[in-house]
């Protein structure tokens, strides 16, 4: 490269430049020091600072590739159900789709009984754990059984959603090798009774699958779910014997789990009952993780002395990752009452060893351990198993094999083998496991009854879901719930009460805050496992809901509620009031609310009246009282019929219709609206049904119902 020519700068100009190039004051020296520091810092990069991390590569290593392993071999569970059956040597798979745990419990019971009674290697399978298309690979020599529940408006459970979507959308699938049986759990109070099992078997049959037995269905509205299942199971077992040629063996317990003491473990090693997101909700997108939340306020809403309804505010301040939206649900994880925990420990003869560390191990590779391990007996009975649940007939028969005396065995068999004797017995006595064992043999401990049997057969404690009764716009960090305390007398013994697990747990917490005891004297370990709940806290998580306000705030609303079904509407109205305060034009609203008596259980009455004043003619509240002395009984559906013209007008103006409460009430409300619409518009049944289906698909008719 050629040299650059010299610069010919006049001497007078060089002299002028020198004035600015020489430091003349303190500021100049500071500037030079800063510039020097920047230069030194840059030049020392990689030597004095920002040195390469010698272990950086570990972030990208796959542990399964070490020691000669192969990619994907690190004990990863297969999502191919046919492959899983082959790997574990199973002949039968019992799939379950469950929202509340009933179908799951039936699945485990059925699999166990098939294994030990018919000698068939059987496993249970959560429908969400396997790719739906892989059922097409199950060979004809094996059998698939589907136990699925329906809830809401014919909706599948969260863990059935993927399979449901596949069965509706799949094309060109062959299931000609698949033999199956199916049982559905539903409730005729809902419009779409057992829709999920109907859709599934329709899809299976369409793809060529072969049913070995007609579909079975349970109806919870009649309280016959248990007996419906057992009747269908008996029919299935007749098919096993007479058509499939299975050989029946003597019924005996064959454990798939081992529960053993390990005193080498320290208390710090154990799970004391903390949720640890145990049995975490299946739809991660719908549910948050389980957290410890403080109860910031609680108060009684009923004015009656013998009935209780709680309003509770929980505080999310210390859980910044948690948030909710108006209309969502709050799930509460309860603990069992002390009296039942102590009763079961005593009757098993393990009270003195309640805190000894227990390790739970799977003896069968297809068995999942669903209780955190290691743990202890007291933690299992207090926080992990539903020990207050009524014992079913199947389990009563099973328990007889562990009886400490011949008399106790005969006592159990008389109830377990006779449907009518059992029905009469439980109508007089709420017979949970501890009480049953105590009655059968009050003098000797049931020391032959293994803990593994209880862990395998008893239902696990599930969270209870409550509609959030606050607006996320008004109270973003303090969601509230509204919980009626469930205490029901037995049909043939009004003096004996059945106490709902979670609602009475919450009542005890509320009473503790006032230094009072539970009205029925029930006590709980309210400080929680390892005192994690000390100071009035609960384990809880938030579940997203589709029960939402329209995004356009001037959309008209028709809201129908009975009892605590008013909870989400309190939130809706609170939010509409807030929009009005900031200058938004809100739509017309009608709230239909039903309760027994305005002087006893008209909850949130003062708040509703204040909101009615704030909203003016934009809100009309219509009440229905079913037990008001001196007046005929009225229910919300009666009042909806009375104001039918106003309801139709708001619907025609683009309004959204909401129902919250019991499923039977929701069904009656829909009937009334149907009759009103058909009369006003001269529609046929088909025209109304078509309209009803359309507005539900558009989320213009929404329900949040139960039972």
């Amino acid at each position: 490269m050629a040299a650059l020519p010299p610069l010919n700068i006049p001497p007078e100009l060089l002299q002028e430049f020198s004035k600015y190039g020489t430091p003349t004051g303190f500021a100049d020296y500071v500037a030079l020091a800063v510039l020097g520091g920047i230069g030194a810092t840059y030049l020392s990069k990689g030597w004095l600072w920002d040195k390469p991390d010698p272990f950086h590569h570990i972030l990208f290593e796959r542990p399964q590739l070490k020691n000669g392993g192969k990619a994907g071999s690190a004990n990863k569970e297969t999502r191919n159900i046919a492959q899983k059956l082959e790997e574990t040597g199973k002949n039968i798979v019992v799939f379950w789709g469950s929202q509340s745990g009933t179908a799951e419990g039936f699945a485990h019971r059925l699999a166990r009984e098939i294994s030990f009674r018919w000698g068939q290697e059987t496993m249970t399978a959560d429908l969400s754990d396997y790719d739906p298309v892989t059922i097409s690979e199950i060979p004809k020599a094996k059998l698939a059984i589907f136990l699925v529940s329906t809830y809401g408006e014919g909706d599948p459970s969260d863990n059935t959603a993927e399979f449901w979507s596949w069965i509706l959308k799949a094309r060109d699938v062959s299931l000609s090798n698949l033999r199956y049986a199916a049982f559905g759990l539903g409730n005729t109070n809902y419009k779409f009774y057992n829709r999920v099992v109907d859709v599934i078997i329709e899809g299976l049959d369409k793809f060529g699958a072969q049913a070995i037995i007609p579909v079975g269905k349970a109806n919870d509205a009649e309280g016959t779910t248990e007996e419906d299942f057992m009747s269908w199971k008996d029919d299935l077992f007749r098919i096993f014997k007479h058509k499939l040629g299975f050989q029946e063996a003597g019924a005996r317990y064959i454990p798939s789990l081992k529960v053993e003491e390990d005193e080498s473990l320290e208390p710090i090693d154990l799970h004391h009952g903390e949720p640890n997101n145990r049995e975490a909700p299946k739809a991660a997108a719908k549910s948050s993780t389980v957290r410890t939340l403080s109860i910031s306020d609680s108060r009684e809403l009923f004015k009656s002395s013998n009935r209780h309804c709680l309003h509770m505010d929980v505080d999310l301040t210390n859980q910044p990752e948690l948030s909710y939206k108006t209309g969502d649900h709050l799930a509460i994880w309860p603990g069992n009452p002390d009296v039942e925990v102590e009763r079961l420990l005593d009757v098993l003869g393990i009270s003195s060893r309640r805190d000894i560390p227990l390790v739970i191990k799977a003896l069968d590779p297809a068995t999942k351990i669903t209780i955190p391990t290691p743990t202890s007996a007291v933690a299992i009975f207090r926080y992990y198993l539903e020990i207050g649940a009524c014992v079913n007939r199947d389990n009563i028969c099973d328990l007889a094999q562990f009886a400490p005396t011949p008399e106790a065995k005969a006592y159990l068999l008389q109830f377990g083998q006779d449907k009518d004797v059992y029905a009469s017995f439980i109508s007089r006595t709420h017979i949970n496991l501890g009480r049953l064992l105590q009655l059968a043999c009050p003098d000797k401990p049931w020391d032959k009854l293994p803990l593994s049997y209880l862990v395998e057969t008893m239902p696990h404690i599930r969270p209870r879901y409550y509609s959030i009764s606050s607006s996320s716009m008004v109270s973003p960090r303090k969601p509230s719930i509204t919980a009626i305390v469930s205490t029901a007398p037995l049909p043939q013994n009004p003096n004996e009460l059945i106490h709902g697990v979670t609602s009475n747990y919450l009542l005890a917490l509320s009473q503790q805050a006032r230094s009072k005891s539970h009205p029925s004297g029930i006590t709980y370990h309210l400080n929680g496992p390892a005192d994690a709940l000390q100071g009035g806290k609960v384990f809880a998580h938030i579940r997203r809901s589709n029960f939402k306000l329209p995004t356009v705030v001037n959309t008209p609303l028709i809201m129908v509620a009975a009892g605590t079904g008013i909870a989400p509407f309190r939130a809706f109205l609170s939010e509409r009031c807030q929009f009005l305060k900031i200058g938004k034009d809100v739509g017309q609203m009608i709230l239909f609310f039903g309760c027994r008596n305005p002087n006893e259980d008209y909850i949130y009455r003062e708040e509703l009246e204040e909101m009615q004043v704030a909203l003016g003619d934009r809100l009309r509240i219509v009440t229905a009282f079913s037990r008001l002395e001196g007046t005929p009984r009225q229910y919300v559906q009666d009042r909806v019929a009375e104001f039918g013209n106003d309801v139709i007008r708001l619907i025609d103006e683009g309004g959204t219709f909401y129902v919250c409460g019991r499923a039977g009430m929701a069904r009656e409300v829909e009937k009334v609206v149907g009759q009103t619409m058909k009369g006003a518009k001269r529609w046929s049944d088909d025209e109304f049904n078509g309209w009803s289906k359309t507005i539900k698909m558009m989320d213009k008719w929404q329900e949040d119902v139960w039972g």
Side-chain angles (χ1 to χ4, degrees), residues 170-206:
R171 299 288 183 272
D172 302 323
V173 174
S174 174
L175 299 179
S176 57
N177 285 330
L178 183 69
R179 296 184 305 162
Y180 79 92
F183 183 81
L185 290 81
N187 186 317
T188 51
N189 282 331
Y190 293 87
K191 182 177 180 180
F192 297 100
Y193 168 64
N194 261 311
R195 179 182 177 225
V196 172
V197 76
D198 287 341
V199 169
I200 286 176
I201 63 172
E202 182 182 343
L204 295 175
D205 292 346
K206 179 177 70 175

mmCIF file of all heavy atoms in Angstrom, residues 170-206:
data_model
loop_
_atom_site.group_PDB
_atom_site.id
_atom_site.type_symbol
_atom_site.label_atom_id
_atom_site.label_comp_id
_atom_site.label_asym_id
_atom_site.label_seq_id
_atom_site.Cartn_x
_atom_site.Cartn_y
_atom_site.Cartn_z
ATOM 1 N N ALA A 170 -60.002 -37.568 14.474
ATOM 2 C CA ALA A 170 -59.180 -38.548 13.761
ATOM 3 C C ALA A 170 -59.851 -39.001 12.462
ATOM 4 O O ALA A 170 -61.086 -39.058 12.354
ATOM 5 C CB ALA A 170 -58.909 -39.745 14.661
ATOM 6 N N ARG A 171 -59.021 -39.301 11.491
ATOM 7 C CA ARG A 171 -59.491 -39.792 10.194
ATOM 8 C C ARG A 171 -58.609 -40.974 9.782
ATOM 9 O O ARG A 171 -57.441 -41.056 10.130
ATOM 10 C CB ARG A 171 -59.413 -38.705 9.118
ATOM 11 C CG ARG A 171 -60.267 -37.478 9.392
ATOM 12 C CD ARG A 171 -61.762 -37.766 9.228
ATOM 13 N NE ARG A 171 -62.560 -36.560 9.414
ATOM 14 C CZ ARG A 171 -63.011 -36.146 10.605
ATOM 15 N NH1 ARG A 171 -62.704 -36.838 11.697
ATOM 16 N NH2 ARG A 171 -63.755 -35.062 10.698
ATOM 17 N N ASP A 172 -59.186 -41.878 9.014
ATOM 18 C CA ASP A 172 -58.425 -43.003 8.450
ATOM 19 C C ASP A 172 -57.676 -43.788 9.522
ATOM 20 O O ASP A 172 -56.507 -44.154 9.352
ATOM 21 C CB ASP A 172 -57.437 -42.500 7.390
ATOM 22 C CG ASP A 172 -58.135 -41.759 6.257
ATOM 23 O OD1 ASP A 172 -59.241 -42.189 5.890
ATOM 24 O OD2 ASP A 172 -57.578 -40.762 5.774
ATOM 25 N N VAL A 173 -58.349 -44.042 10.622
ATOM 26 C CA VAL A 173 -57.762 -44.843 11.703
ATOM 27 C C VAL A 173 -58.443 -46.206 11.719
ATOM 28 O O VAL A 173 -59.671 -46.296 11.575
ATOM 29 C CB VAL A 173 -57.947 -44.145 13.070
ATOM 30 C CG1 VAL A 173 -57.479 -45.054 14.200
ATOM 31 C CG2 VAL A 173 -57.189 -42.833 13.097
ATOM 32 N N SER A 174 -57.684 -47.247 11.896
ATOM 33 C CA SER A 174 -58.257 -48.583 12.016
ATOM 34 C C SER A 174 -58.058 -49.108 13.431
ATOM 35 O O SER A 174 -56.933 -49.166 13.934
ATOM 36 C CB SER A 174 -57.600 -49.544 11.025
ATOM 37 O OG SER A 174 -58.080 -50.865 11.244
ATOM 38 N N LEU A 175 -59.175 -49.464 14.076
ATOM 39 C CA LEU A 175 -59.120 -50.078 15.411
ATOM 40 C C LEU A 175 -59.718 -51.482 15.358
ATOM 41 O O LEU A 175 -60.284 -51.972 16.337
ATOM 42 C CB LEU A 175 -59.895 -49.214 16.417
ATOM 43 C CG LEU A 175 -59.399 -47.780 16.631
ATOM 44 C CD1 LEU A 175 -60.287 -47.055 17.644
ATOM 45 C CD2 LEU A 175 -57.953 -47.769 17.115
ATOM 46 N N SER A 176 -59.590 -52.118 14.219
ATOM 47 C CA SER A 176 -60.224 -53.424 14.033
ATOM 48 C C SER A 176 -59.654 -54.489 14.967
ATOM 49 O O SER A 176 -60.309 -55.502 15.223
ATOM 50 C CB SER A 176 -60.076 -53.874 12.577
ATOM 51 O OG SER A 176 -58.701 -53.917 12.205
ATOM 52 N N ASN A 177 -58.452 -54.268 15.496
ATOM 53 C CA ASN A 177 -57.860 -55.237 16.429
ATOM 54 C C ASN A 177 -58.227 -54.973 17.880
ATOM 55 O O ASN A 177 -57.897 -55.765 18.755
ATOM 56 C CB ASN A 177 -56.332 -55.226 16.304
ATOM 57 C CG ASN A 177 -55.855 -55.935 15.051
ATOM 58 O OD1 ASN A 177 -56.509 -56.869 14.585
ATOM 59 N ND2 ASN A 177 -54.737 -55.496 14.512
ATOM 60 N N LEU A 178 -58.896 -53.831 18.122
ATOM 61 C CA LEU A 178 -59.136 -53.420 19.512
ATOM 62 C C LEU A 178 -60.431 -54.023 20.051
ATOM 63 O O LEU A 178 -61.516 -53.801 19.517
ATOM 64 C CB LEU A 178 -59.221 -51.891 19.606
ATOM 65 C CG LEU A 178 -59.403 -51.331 21.025
ATOM 66 C CD1 LEU A 178 -58.135 -51.545 21.845
ATOM 67 C CD2 LEU A 178 -59.761 -49.843 20.990
ATOM 68 N N ARG A 179 -60.299 -54.786 21.141
ATOM 69 C CA ARG A 179 -61.478 -55.246 21.894
ATOM 70 C C ARG A 179 -61.603 -54.359 23.127
ATOM 71 O O ARG A 179 -60.600 -54.076 23.788
ATOM 72 C CB ARG A 179 -61.311 -56.705 22.311
ATOM 73 C CG ARG A 179 -61.225 -57.687 21.164
ATOM 74 C CD ARG A 179 -61.151 -59.110 21.687
ATOM 75 N NE ARG A 179 -60.050 -59.288 22.623
ATOM 76 C CZ ARG A 179 -59.949 -60.310 23.480
ATOM 77 N NH1 ARG A 179 -60.900 -61.221 23.544
ATOM 78 N NH2 ARG A 179 -58.912 -60.410 24.287
ATOM 79 N N TYR A 180 -62.834 -53.950 23.435
ATOM 80 C CA TYR A 180 -62.968 -53.002 24.537
ATOM 81 C C TYR A 180 -64.279 -53.186 25.298
ATOM 82 O O TYR A 180 -65.232 -53.824 24.822
ATOM 83 C CB TYR A 180 -62.882 -51.560 24.009
ATOM 84 C CG TYR A 180 -64.159 -51.041 23.379
ATOM 85 C CD1 TYR A 180 -65.104 -50.351 24.146
ATOM 86 C CD2 TYR A 180 -64.433 -51.244 22.031
ATOM 87 C CE1 TYR A 180 -66.284 -49.882 23.579
ATOM 88 C CE2 TYR A 180 -65.591 -50.777 21.452
ATOM 89 C CZ TYR A 180 -66.522 -50.099 22.226
ATOM 90 O OH TYR A 180 -67.694 -49.640 21.674
ATOM 91 N N ALA A 181 -64.291 -52.583 26.502
ATOM 92 C CA ALA A 181 -65.512 -52.424 27.306
ATOM 93 C C ALA A 181 -65.488 -50.999 27.832
ATOM 94 O O ALA A 181 -64.418 -50.395 27.961
ATOM 95 C CB ALA A 181 -65.534 -53.427 28.458
ATOM 96 N N ALA A 182 -66.666 -50.434 28.121
ATOM 97 C CA ALA A 182 -66.712 -49.032 28.550
ATOM 98 C C ALA A 182 -67.799 -48.818 29.584
ATOM 99 O O ALA A 182 -68.877 -49.420 29.520
ATOM 100 C CB ALA A 182 -66.941 -48.114 27.352
ATOM 101 N N PHE A 183 -67.472 -47.918 30.543
ATOM 102 C CA PHE A 183 -68.424 -47.545 31.595
ATOM 103 C C PHE A 183 -68.335 -46.034 31.788
ATOM 104 O O PHE A 183 -67.230 -45.474 31.869
ATOM 105 C CB PHE A 183 -68.093 -48.267 32.903
ATOM 106 C CG PHE A 183 -69.052 -47.990 34.020
ATOM 107 C CD1 PHE A 183 -70.260 -48.665 34.094
ATOM 108 C CD2 PHE A 183 -68.759 -47.049 35.004
ATOM 109 C CE1 PHE A 183 -71.161 -48.412 35.129
ATOM 110 C CE2 PHE A 183 -69.642 -46.789 36.036
ATOM 111 C CZ PHE A 183 -70.854 -47.476 36.102
ATOM 112 N N GLY A 184 -69.480 -45.370 31.836
ATOM 113 C CA GLY A 184 -69.510 -43.918 31.990
ATOM 114 C C GLY A 184 -70.108 -43.493 33.314
ATOM 115 O O GLY A 184 -71.022 -44.144 33.837
ATOM 116 N N LEU A 185 -69.585 -42.398 33.861
ATOM 117 C CA LEU A 185 -70.111 -41.822 35.095
ATOM 118 C C LEU A 185 -70.754 -40.486 34.754
ATOM 119 O O LEU A 185 -70.098 -39.603 34.179
ATOM 120 C CB LEU A 185 -69.001 -41.615 36.127
ATOM 121 C CG LEU A 185 -68.406 -42.873 36.761
ATOM 122 C CD1 LEU A 185 -67.370 -43.508 35.829
ATOM 123 C CD2 LEU A 185 -67.754 -42.553 38.095
ATOM 124 N N GLY A 186 -72.032 -40.349 35.084
ATOM 125 C CA GLY A 186 -72.750 -39.123 34.749
ATOM 126 C C GLY A 186 -73.850 -38.827 35.736
ATOM 127 O O GLY A 186 -73.966 -39.460 36.786
ATOM 128 N N ASN A 187 -74.695 -37.866 35.365
ATOM 129 C CA ASN A 187 -75.737 -37.378 36.266
ATOM 130 C C ASN A 187 -76.879 -36.857 35.415
ATOM 131 O O ASN A 187 -76.686 -35.963 34.589
ATOM 132 C CB ASN A 187 -75.148 -36.261 37.149
ATOM 133 C CG ASN A 187 -76.094 -35.780 38.222
ATOM 134 O OD1 ASN A 187 -77.279 -35.591 37.985
ATOM 135 N ND2 ASN A 187 -75.566 -35.547 39.424
ATOM 136 N N THR A 188 -78.076 -37.414 35.579
ATOM 137 C CA THR A 188 -79.211 -37.013 34.743
ATOM 138 C C THR A 188 -79.709 -35.607 35.063
ATOM 139 O O THR A 188 -80.568 -35.089 34.347
ATOM 140 C CB THR A 188 -80.374 -38.011 34.887
ATOM 141 O OG1 THR A 188 -80.661 -38.220 36.278
ATOM 142 C CG2 THR A 188 -80.047 -39.336 34.232
ATOM 143 N N ASN A 189 -79.190 -34.986 36.107
ATOM 144 C CA ASN A 189 -79.518 -33.579 36.339
ATOM 145 C C ASN A 189 -78.883 -32.674 35.281
ATOM 146 O O ASN A 189 -79.325 -31.542 35.090
ATOM 147 C CB ASN A 189 -79.054 -33.126 37.730
ATOM 148 C CG ASN A 189 -79.993 -33.593 38.823
ATOM 149 O OD1 ASN A 189 -81.185 -33.761 38.588
ATOM 150 N ND2 ASN A 189 -79.461 -33.815 40.014
ATOM 151 N N TYR A 190 -77.839 -33.175 34.642
ATOM 152 C CA TYR A 190 -77.201 -32.433 33.560
ATOM 153 C C TYR A 190 -77.871 -32.801 32.241
ATOM 154 O O TYR A 190 -78.312 -33.941 32.044
ATOM 155 C CB TYR A 190 -75.705 -32.759 33.479
ATOM 156 C CG TYR A 190 -74.903 -32.271 34.653
ATOM 157 C CD1 TYR A 190 -74.760 -33.055 35.800
ATOM 158 C CD2 TYR A 190 -74.287 -31.033 34.632
ATOM 159 C CE1 TYR A 190 -74.019 -32.614 36.890
ATOM 160 C CE2 TYR A 190 -73.537 -30.583 35.715
ATOM 161 C CZ TYR A 190 -73.413 -31.375 36.835
ATOM 162 O OH TYR A 190 -72.688 -30.939 37.906
ATOM 163 N N LYS A 191 -77.903 -31.838 31.332
ATOM 164 C CA LYS A 191 -78.590 -32.051 30.057
ATOM 165 C C LYS A 191 -77.931 -33.160 29.250
ATOM 166 O O LYS A 191 -78.600 -33.982 28.631
ATOM 167 C CB LYS A 191 -78.603 -30.746 29.252
ATOM 168 C CG LYS A 191 -79.351 -30.852 27.930
ATOM 169 C CD LYS A 191 -79.402 -29.528 27.211
ATOM 170 C CE LYS A 191 -80.157 -29.650 25.897
ATOM 171 N NZ LYS A 191 -80.206 -28.356 25.170
ATOM 172 N N PHE A 192 -76.597 -33.195 29.247
ATOM 173 C CA PHE A 192 -75.884 -34.167 28.425
ATOM 174 C C PHE A 192 -75.393 -35.313 29.305
ATOM 175 O O PHE A 192 -74.203 -35.448 29.578
ATOM 176 C CB PHE A 192 -74.720 -33.489 27.696
ATOM 177 C CG PHE A 192 -75.162 -32.432 26.733
ATOM 178 C CD1 PHE A 192 -75.113 -31.092 27.079
ATOM 179 C CD2 PHE A 192 -75.667 -32.776 25.491
ATOM 180 C CE1 PHE A 192 -75.536 -30.112 26.202
ATOM 181 C CE2 PHE A 192 -76.095 -31.808 24.601
ATOM 182 C CZ PHE A 192 -76.029 -30.474 24.951
ATOM 183 N N TYR A 193 -76.337 -36.133 29.725
ATOM 184 C CA TYR A 193 -76.045 -37.248 30.621
ATOM 185 C C TYR A 193 -75.101 -38.246 29.947
ATOM 186 O O TYR A 193 -75.411 -38.784 28.889
ATOM 187 C CB TYR A 193 -77.353 -37.918 31.020
ATOM 188 C CG TYR A 193 -77.216 -39.250 31.706
ATOM 189 C CD1 TYR A 193 -76.594 -39.351 32.943
ATOM 190 C CD2 TYR A 193 -77.715 -40.414 31.119
ATOM 191 C CE1 TYR A 193 -76.469 -40.577 33.578
ATOM 192 C CE2 TYR A 193 -77.601 -41.644 31.748
ATOM 193 C CZ TYR A 193 -76.981 -41.718 32.979
ATOM 194 O OH TYR A 193 -76.860 -42.937 33.608
ATOM 195 N N ASN A 194 -73.944 -38.464 30.548
ATOM 196 C CA ASN A 194 -72.961 -39.446 30.075
ATOM 197 C C ASN A 194 -72.567 -39.250 28.609
ATOM 198 O O ASN A 194 -72.281 -40.212 27.889
ATOM 199 C CB ASN A 194 -73.472 -40.871 30.298
ATOM 200 C CG ASN A 194 -72.883 -41.501 31.544
ATOM 201 O OD1 ASN A 194 -71.675 -41.458 31.749
ATOM 202 N ND2 ASN A 194 -73.719 -42.067 32.385
ATOM 203 N N ARG A 195 -72.507 -38.009 28.194
ATOM 204 C CA ARG A 195 -72.151 -37.720 26.806
ATOM 205 C C ARG A 195 -70.740 -38.187 26.452
ATOM 206 O O ARG A 195 -70.486 -38.657 25.338
ATOM 207 C CB ARG A 195 -72.260 -36.212 26.558
ATOM 208 C CG ARG A 195 -71.873 -35.802 25.143
ATOM 209 C CD ARG A 195 -71.947 -34.305 24.969
ATOM 210 N NE ARG A 195 -71.517 -33.893 23.643
ATOM 211 C CZ ARG A 195 -70.708 -32.874 23.386
ATOM 212 N NH1 ARG A 195 -70.216 -32.165 24.396
ATOM 213 N NH2 ARG A 195 -70.392 -32.550 22.162
ATOM 214 N N VAL A 196 -69.817 -38.075 27.391
ATOM 215 C CA VAL A 196 -68.426 -38.396 27.086
ATOM 216 C C VAL A 196 -68.263 -39.856 26.704
ATOM 217 O O VAL A 196 -67.635 -40.183 25.685
ATOM 218 C CB VAL A 196 -67.506 -38.019 28.265
ATOM 219 C CG1 VAL A 196 -66.088 -38.524 28.026
ATOM 220 C CG2 VAL A 196 -67.487 -36.508 28.450
ATOM 221 N N VAL A 197 -68.847 -40.778 27.488
ATOM 222 C CA VAL A 197 -68.697 -42.196 27.137
ATOM 223 C C VAL A 197 -69.437 -42.502 25.847
ATOM 224 O O VAL A 197 -68.987 -43.331 25.034
ATOM 225 C CB VAL A 197 -69.168 -43.105 28.299
ATOM 226 C CG1 VAL A 197 -70.686 -43.162 28.401
ATOM 227 C CG2 VAL A 197 -68.588 -44.513 28.133
ATOM 228 N N ASP A 198 -70.561 -41.819 25.596
ATOM 229 C CA ASP A 198 -71.294 -42.039 24.343
ATOM 230 C C ASP A 198 -70.454 -41.641 23.135
ATOM 231 O O ASP A 198 -70.402 -42.356 22.130
ATOM 232 C CB ASP A 198 -72.607 -41.247 24.346
ATOM 233 C CG ASP A 198 -73.651 -41.840 25.274
ATOM 234 O OD1 ASP A 198 -73.517 -43.031 25.623
ATOM 235 O OD2 ASP A 198 -74.593 -41.116 25.655
ATOM 236 N N VAL A 199 -69.799 -40.480 23.219
ATOM 237 C CA VAL A 199 -68.968 -40.011 22.107
ATOM 238 C C VAL A 199 -67.774 -40.942 21.900
ATOM 239 O O VAL A 199 -67.401 -41.264 20.759
ATOM 240 C CB VAL A 199 -68.493 -38.565 22.355
ATOM 241 C CG1 VAL A 199 -67.414 -38.155 21.359
ATOM 242 C CG2 VAL A 199 -69.680 -37.598 22.276
ATOM 243 N N ILE A 200 -67.175 -41.392 22.995
ATOM 244 C CA ILE A 200 -66.003 -42.261 22.880
ATOM 245 C C ILE A 200 -66.361 -43.594 22.231
ATOM 246 O O ILE A 200 -65.673 -44.056 21.304
ATOM 247 C CB ILE A 200 -65.345 -42.459 24.254
ATOM 248 C CG1 ILE A 200 -64.592 -41.180 24.662
ATOM 249 C CG2 ILE A 200 -64.394 -43.657 24.241
ATOM 250 C CD1 ILE A 200 -63.984 -41.230 26.053
ATOM 251 N N ILE A 201 -67.446 -44.234 22.668
ATOM 252 C CA ILE A 201 -67.777 -45.540 22.071
ATOM 253 C C ILE A 201 -68.256 -45.379 20.632
ATOM 254 O O ILE A 201 -68.012 -46.252 19.795
ATOM 255 C CB ILE A 201 -68.811 -46.318 22.918
ATOM 256 C CG1 ILE A 201 -70.146 -45.578 23.001
ATOM 257 C CG2 ILE A 201 -68.264 -46.623 24.291
ATOM 258 C CD1 ILE A 201 -71.245 -46.405 23.653
ATOM 259 N N GLU A 202 -68.901 -44.244 20.336
ATOM 260 C CA GLU A 202 -69.291 -43.987 18.947
ATOM 261 C C GLU A 202 -68.049 -43.903 18.052
ATOM 262 O O GLU A 202 -68.007 -44.450 16.947
ATOM 263 C CB GLU A 202 -70.097 -42.688 18.853
ATOM 264 C CG GLU A 202 -70.582 -42.356 17.451
ATOM 265 C CD GLU A 202 -71.329 -41.036 17.392
ATOM 266 O OE1 GLU A 202 -71.756 -40.532 18.457
ATOM 267 O OE2 GLU A 202 -71.489 -40.496 16.276
ATOM 268 N N GLY A 203 -67.008 -43.202 18.553
ATOM 269 C CA GLY A 203 -65.769 -43.090 17.797
ATOM 270 C C GLY A 203 -65.051 -44.419 17.674
ATOM 271 O O GLY A 203 -64.560 -44.786 16.600
ATOM 272 N N LEU A 204 -64.978 -45.184 18.770
ATOM 273 C CA LEU A 204 -64.313 -46.486 18.728
ATOM 274 C C LEU A 204 -64.999 -47.417 17.728
ATOM 275 O O LEU A 204 -64.336 -48.098 16.931
ATOM 276 C CB LEU A 204 -64.309 -47.118 20.120
ATOM 277 C CG LEU A 204 -63.490 -46.405 21.212
ATOM 278 C CD1 LEU A 204 -63.696 -47.095 22.564
ATOM 279 C CD2 LEU A 204 -62.010 -46.366 20.864
ATOM 280 N N ASP A 205 -66.329 -47.439 17.779
ATOM 281 C CA ASP A 205 -67.074 -48.311 16.868
ATOM 282 C C ASP A 205 -66.899 -47.874 15.414
ATOM 283 O O ASP A 205 -66.792 -48.711 14.507
ATOM 284 C CB ASP A 205 -68.554 -48.322 17.240
ATOM 285 C CG ASP A 205 -68.815 -49.001 18.582
ATOM 286 O OD1 ASP A 205 -67.906 -49.688 19.088
ATOM 287 O OD2 ASP A 205 -69.921 -48.828 19.133
ATOM 288 N N LYS A 206 -66.865 -46.560 15.200
ATOM 289 C CA LYS A 206 -66.705 -46.035 13.840
ATOM 290 C C LYS A 206 -65.393 -46.500 13.227
ATOM 291 O O LYS A 206 -65.319 -46.774 12.022
ATOM 292 C CB LYS A 206 -66.757 -44.508 13.876
ATOM 293 C CG LYS A 206 -66.572 -43.839 12.521
ATOM 294 C CD LYS A 206 -66.699 -42.323 12.636
ATOM 295 C CE LYS A 206 -65.515 -41.726 13.383
ATOM 296 N NZ LYS A 206 -65.549 -40.248 13.404
#
